[in-house]
Amino acid sequence: MPDESGAPNDPTSELRRDLVSGNSALVNPARAGRPHTVSPRTLSTHRGPETRDLDGSVDPDCPFCWGNESATAEELARVGPGAPGTPGWQVRVVRNRYPVLGGCDDESGRCEVVVFREHDRRLEDLDVAAIARILEVVRDRIAVQTRAGRVAVQVFVNVERDAGASIAHPHAQLISLDFEPPALALEFDMMASSGPDPVRADLALAAAEGLVVVDADIAAWCPSAMPFPYGVRIAPKVPGAPFRDLDATTVASVAQTLRDVLRSMNDLLDRPAYNVVVFADQTRDGSVRRWRLEAIPRINVEGGFEIGTAVTTHSVPAATAADALRSELLRVRESPISHNSGRDLPIRTYS
């Protein structure tokens, strides 16, 4: 059957289903050669960390910057000196003033924002210690919501407008739910066919197919059926503690792998918009969805087919993405970033 241009379909097109999420993707490398007459999106004018002031920056009009603490809702926790609602922090947690769920203004603070210190630095522009500090705060806030008895806790970072960000200042969001979201339900259903630990099975498959990008205790790989081109999954090789209980050494290892992956994506794809999603540990009837992170560059836009079928299409095989990211990784590791992260400051929690 011909495609929209009249050319025959490429026989290499393949429908794949992700072992972990259950999402489906049609991968066809031949589509990379199709003509484009629509202008591409305007790329961010930001540049890499080498052009930035390593002391950070403050935008007087930004509600998340130092000096504008009164522009946010109640402060729940911080890293760094100063009283709640004052400057001095390196990471700050506040209630979300515009929650996606009604009732997020209750005592347990189901919708929270984790604000990063610098206005003009994305995650990949930070050093490992700074990223580790952010992850430690995320870890502790997941623990707070888990102890409150929430059914599911979702943490994510949206970077740039194309990834869903509405405020430019780098930050993460935490949303805890009193119901099981459809994506989590599908993951539990997938365990029936993929086995009790689909993340480990997916890593084993990636290793067999040469798709591992970071081969370390905290590994990173391009899943063969990832519905997003250049998407990377990050998880421990061997199951261990839940994310909410990770020790500082393990958090630092997660930060190292995440930083290397993001900087490789940044250089390879010309500083794309991206999402980082933290999938926290969840349980249901004795089954355990163990934690992982996913880093998703937003270089693929859904069209009518994707919306109508919930099947993603793209033209980048996982092997192509893994090879390219590994090549960038070798260069990335030779150019460390120097940054004052406040790594040794305690986390102070108020709620």
Side-chain angles (χ1 to χ4, degrees):
M1 181 178 177
D3 64 18
E4 67 247 38
S5 70
N9 285 333
D10 190 290
T12 60
S13 178
E14 184 178 357
L15 177 63
R16 299 172 180 169
R17 194 176 194 199
D18 184 50
L19 287 178
V20 178
S21 68
N23 293 325
S24 297
L26 276 169
V27 182
N28 187 346
R31 284 180 60 80
R34 68 191 189 278
H36 291 269
T37 59
V38 178
S39 299
R41 69 178 178 87
T42 302
L43 294 175
S44 168
T45 57
H46 290 180
R47 292 292 178 254
E50 67 278 0
T51 67
R52 299 180 180 211
D53 175 7
L54 290 180
D55 290 330
S57 70
V58 172
D59 182 338
D61 297 322
C62 173
F64 286 169
C65 278
W66 272 19
N68 295 337
E69 287 79 11
S70 62
T72 69
E74 175 193 358
E75 182 175 321
L76 304 174
R78 69 162 51 194
V79 176
T86 67
W89 50 271
Q90 296 296 321
V91 184
R92 184 172 184 249
V93 183
V94 299
R95 293 187 189 276
N96 194 328
R97 179 162 279 178
Y98 304 98
V100 299
L101 296 172
C104 279
D105 56 350
D106 65 15
E107 288 302 316
S108 55
R110 293 191 302 164
C111 294
E112 303 178 358
V113 181
V114 181
V115 184
F116 311 162
R117 163 68 179 91
E118 291 87 357
H119 178 83
D120 65 349
R121 271 203 216 101
R122 308 188 334 172
L123 273 174
E124 71 272 19
D125 301 330
L126 304 178
D127 67 10
V128 172
I131 297 173
R133 177 52 73 189
I134 291 167
L135 291 176
E136 286 179 345
V137 173
V138 167
R139 173 200 63 192
D140 291 355
R141 298 314 296 176
I142 289 175
V144 167
Q145 295 303 321
T146 301
R147 289 195 298 268
R150 302 302 180 185
V151 175
V153 183
Q154 186 65 69
V155 180
F156 54 93
V157 180
N158 299 336
V159 177
E160 307 286 355
R161 182 174 178 177
D162 287 353
S166 57
I167 294 181
H169 190 116
H171 62 282
Q173 295 186 59
L174 179 149
I175 300 176
S176 56
L177 305 171
D178 289 329
F179 63 91
E180 185 179 83
L184 178 57
L186 180 57
E187 286 196 34
F188 280 124
D189 292 344
M190 283 296 294
M191 291 182 187
S193 56
S194 300
D197 192 349
V199 171
R200 197 170 188 182
D202 191 53
L203 175 55
L205 178 63
E209 296 183 351
L211 306 179
V212 175
V213 177
V214 176
D215 187 7
D217 289 343
I218 304 299
W221 67 98
C222 294
S224 60
M226 176 69 84
F228 309 100
Y230 295 98
V232 175
R233 185 165 285 152
I234 298 170
K237 281 185 178 179
V238 179
F243 194 89
R244 63 183 177 272
D245 295 330
L246 293 183
D247 59 30
T249 299
T250 304
V251 171
S253 296
V254 176
Q256 179 72 62
T257 297
L258 177 60
R259 179 261 198 180
D260 288 349
V261 165
L262 291 178
R263 290 196 68 196
S264 299
M265 280 183 184
N266 179 71
D267 293 351
L268 179 67
L269 303 175
D270 193 14
R271 205 164 176 81
Y274 65 82
N275 304 102
V276 174
V277 183
V278 180
F279 295 82
D281 305 80
Q282 306 287 166
T283 60
R284 184 223 271 178
D285 300 330
S287 295
V288 179
R289 192 276 297 275
R290 68 182 182 90
W291 69 267
R292 69 184 189 274
L293 278 66
E294 292 184 2
I296 310 295
R298 299 301 293 270
I299 60 175
N300 207 37
V301 179
E302 287 188 341
F305 176 80
E306 288 82 0
I307 294 171
T309 64
V311 176
T312 302
T313 65
H314 64 84
S315 59
V316 184
T320 300
D323 287 344
L325 288 169
R326 276 195 300 266
S327 296
E328 287 296 325
L329 191 65
L330 294 174
R331 191 171 63 83
V332 159
R333 286 178 170 169
E334 296 175 354
S335 55
I337 298 175
S338 175
H339 174 64
N340 180 14
S341 65
R343 180 76 172 97
D344 297 326
L345 296 171
I347 301 171
R348 290 189 283 165
T349 300
Y350 312 110
S351 173

